[in-house]
Amino acid sequence: MMKQEVGKAAADLVKSNSIVGLGTGSTTAYAIEYIGKRLQSGNLKNIVGIPTSFQAEVLSKQYGIPLTTLDAINHIDIAIDGADEVDMQKNLIKGGGAAHTREKVVDYLANQFIVVVDAGKLVTKLGSVFAVPVEVIPMALTPVINSIKQLGGKPELRMGLRKAGPVVTDQGNLVIDAKFNDIPNPANLEKVLNNIPGVLENGIFVNCADIILIGEVQDGKSIVREM
């Protein structure tokens, strides 16, 4: 219920005649559903979406949101996406759904980036709960794992659920989940990880989020507050 409320609150911020980045994950799925409902009711007009994953694309088609590509547009008005961790400086760790590379492209391009989370995703220090997802081209897997170890991280290849073998991203790459006991400087770690040869992108998002919408339960009621 909480995820639904946050998704709906984010969908309500979308204006007619806009290009919308559509994120990945369970909370964002509700936002996509409500944007579709607003379009069907005529409350919202002339919207095109940029999906960040195959999941977002399938949902958008299901709910009747017309889609376009980054080749066809020159800006994104608003992007809505979830996060696995959010710290007090609005830094994020994303990539629980292995879509962080496309999400980063879309979310950074957006004039306004709205993050939808439940209160359980809030942390005082980034990396305290969640590992940093690192997308890596398959041939570079072992050297990248060794480089992450040298940085003090504990790297683990992400394995598929109900699938034999590793998770494969929409780009055909692999994901290493790198656990760091301490991330004193998220912006620096983001750069350092991306500079390892063979790494495509990692899940640290800094200086990117504009609005964080948080769903939580107070007195038995689902409420949405802004950070």
Side-chain angles (χ1 to χ4, degrees), residues 93-130:
I93 290 181
K94 292 174 49 52
H100 52 282
T101 298
R102 292 190 188 192
E103 289 170 345
K104 200 173 262 195
V105 172
V106 169
D107 297 344
Y108 273 83
L109 273 173
N111 296 336
Q112 187 181 41
F113 174 33
I114 293 164
V115 180
V116 288
V117 289
D118 59 72
K121 303 291 172 70
L122 303 179
V123 295
T124 45
K125 278 173 72 174
L126 209 67
S128 47
V129 181
F130 215 80

Side-chain angles (χ1 to χ4, degrees), residues 31-68:
I32 292 172
E33 180 184 344
Y34 285 114
I35 290 167
K37 283 180 174 166
R38 287 187 64 199
L39 275 171
Q40 281 155 24
S41 72
N43 171 274
L44 197 58
K45 291 184 174 72
N46 190 26
I47 291 293
V48 285
I50 302 269
T52 57
S53 63
F54 185 65
Q55 182 216 25
E57 192 176 327
V58 169
L59 283 171
S60 302
K61 286 174 179 167
Q62 188 183 328
Y63 294 116
I65 301 170
L67 298 177
T68 186

Side-chain angles (χ1 to χ4, degrees), residues 149-167:
K149 283 178 181 167
Q150 284 168 0
L151 291 172
K154 293 190 186 72
E156 207 171 281
L157 178 62
R158 188 183 298 182
M159 302 307 282
L161 292 172
R162 297 166 65 185
K163 166 194 179 293
V167 166

